[in-house]
Amino acid sequence: MNFGSVTNPGNIEFTLPKDHIDTKYILDKVKDDQVPEIYVGCAKWNRADLKGFYPRGTKDELNYYASQFNSIELNATFYNLFSPEQFANWFDKTPPDFKFFPKLHKEISHKKVLNDTQNNVENYLYNISQLKEKLGTTFLQMHSSFSPKDFDNVIAFAENWPKNVPLAMEFRHTDWYNDKTVAEDLYQLLEENNISNVITDTAGRRDLLHMRLTNATAFVRYVGANHFSDYSRLDEWVERLKLWKTQGIKEIDFFIHQNIEKESTLLSAYFIKKINEELGYTLTIPNDDGQQLLF
């Protein structure tokens, strides 16, 4: 994932911002004694991207990946229209507690820019419904050129999205968060429709690190810079998730990317180990034997 990549990551101020003032308010409303669910995964499972991760002789990449992780951010559904049979096949290959988090197809987000998408959405939802109980939050990622001038499209889309299907939305045009009036209107819309506000943490776009939750699910897309700072950044995220856990978060969906994706499994293993130690979980720590850092 090259979005937000920079030439000299050592020059970036990576300190995680404080939470938006209303994030605690959102979590206070749902706080109870329930232990939050947490899902950590990569964006892809194919051997070409995750070089060195699969043991020699691995015949089924998804089957092995799902033995090491409890989730996948399914970026492939942005580029391809997979059949219901394909989703059913993925369901059959994975363990009972595994979850898929598919991205909405580009026809909906980038070509039609959320306008007149009812048929597309219905077809897409029918196909991914074959994942059954393994379907996690579906997410929408808009192009960087999609600005608040098309806010009406977002309103209509959010209000018509079926309320029984968890959704997260990611916006990349800077005015969605830097324009205070627009941002507040967006937060209110997402809150009213129980839609998660995707937090994107990448080196070159610190403006997207808004730290504003709009429901009790944190959906984080973390992009490493193939730099030693990737690990200290994850340390900060562990501390933030620990805070959200005490404040009442219900679910954490955390997906790790790298500019050079082969290292995403290494970062994930480090992060999951920290999660287990600091938050008291017992998630499987992915096997990273034989992999080496590039820095």
Side-chain angles (χ1 to χ4, degrees), residues 128-196:
I128 66 172
S129 71
Q130 308 309 305
L131 293 172
K132 305 175 190 176
E133 68 272 14
K134 296 180 186 178
L135 175 62
T137 299
T138 298
F139 74 102
L140 172 77
Q141 179 254 303
M142 300 306 296
H143 193 276
S144 299
S145 63
F146 182 78
S147 74
K149 70 179 177 62
D150 291 314
F151 202 165
D152 286 347
N153 290 10
V154 179
I155 294 171
F157 190 86
E159 292 181 345
N160 286 295
W161 183 264
K163 299 301 184 263
N164 63 329
V165 181
L167 176 67
M169 287 186 170
E170 177 185 4
F171 298 93
R172 292 182 169 182
H173 192 289
T174 191
D175 286 349
W176 289 105
Y177 300 114
N178 284 341
D179 185 316
K180 185 175 181 180
T181 300
V182 170
E184 290 304 319
D185 287 345
L186 177 63
Y187 301 150
Q188 182 177 352
L189 175 71
L190 299 182
E191 280 184 44
E192 290 174 349
N193 291 279
N194 195 28
I195 295 171
S196 302

Side-chain angles (χ1 to χ4, degrees), residues 116-275:
D116 190 27
T117 60
Q118 182 176 349
N119 289 337
N120 303 82
V121 168
E122 288 178 356
N123 290 336
Y124 176 88
L125 290 177
Y126 173 75
N127 293 350
I128 66 172
S129 71
Q130 308 309 305
L131 293 172
K132 305 175 190 176
E133 68 272 14
K134 296 180 186 178
L135 175 62
T137 299
T138 298
F139 74 102
L140 172 77
Q141 179 254 303
M142 300 306 296
H143 193 276
S144 299
S145 63
F146 182 78
S147 74
K149 70 179 177 62
D150 291 314
F151 202 165
D152 286 347
N153 290 10
V154 179
I155 294 171
F157 190 86
E159 292 181 345
N160 286 295
W161 183 264
K163 299 301 184 263
N164 63 329
V165 181
L167 176 67
M169 287 186 170
E170 177 185 4
F171 298 93
R172 292 182 169 182
H173 192 289
T174 191
D175 286 349
W176 289 105
Y177 300 114
N178 284 341
D179 185 316
K180 185 175 181 180
T181 300
V182 170
E184 290 304 319
D185 287 345
L186 177 63
Y187 301 150
Q188 182 177 352
L189 175 71
L190 299 182
E191 280 184 44
E192 290 174 349
N193 291 279
N194 195 28
I195 295 171
S196 302
N197 191 15
V198 173
I199 298 175
T200 306
D201 182 353
T202 186
R205 291 297 307 274
R206 308 312 285 166
D207 55 318
L208 302 183
L209 206 53
H210 51 75
M211 308 310 291
R212 174 58 157 91
L213 301 183
T214 49
N215 64 8
T217 296
F219 195 114
V220 181
R221 305 186 77 204
Y222 173 93
V223 187
N226 298 99
H227 185 262
F228 64 84
S229 61
D230 294 345
Y231 290 87
S232 57
R233 289 168 60 194
L234 286 175
D235 289 343
E236 280 202 72
W237 267 112
V238 170
E239 292 303 312
R240 189 60 53 91
L241 299 183
K242 188 189 299 185
L243 172 64
W244 288 350
K245 183 172 181 276
T246 67
Q247 292 177 337
I249 195 84
K250 299 300 182 191
E251 181 172 324
I252 298 163
D253 306 327
F254 200 102
F255 298 104
I256 295 179
H257 301 248
Q258 271 283 28
N259 297 154
I260 302 174
E261 286 289 1
K262 64 180 289 187
E263 293 183 12
S264 60
T265 55
L266 279 169
L267 279 183
S268 298
Y270 175 86
F271 184 66
I272 290 171
K273 185 173 185 291
K274 285 279 190 174
I275 289 291

Side-chain angles (χ1 to χ4, degrees), residues 104-121:
L104 279 159
H105 191 262
K106 60 185 178 181
E107 179 79 15
I108 295 168
S109 58
H110 286 42
K111 293 184 179 180
K112 291 193 171 183
V113 290
L114 308 185
N115 184 43
D116 190 27
T117 60
Q118 182 176 349
N119 289 337
N120 303 82
V121 168

Side-chain angles (χ1 to χ4, degrees), residues 14 22 30 48 77 83 94 110 133 165 199 218 240 271 285 288:
F14 280 120
D22 290 329
V30 298
T77 53
S83 67
T94 49
H110 286 42
E133 68 272 14
V165 181
I199 298 175
R240 189 60 53 91
F271 184 66
I285 300 173
D288 58 1

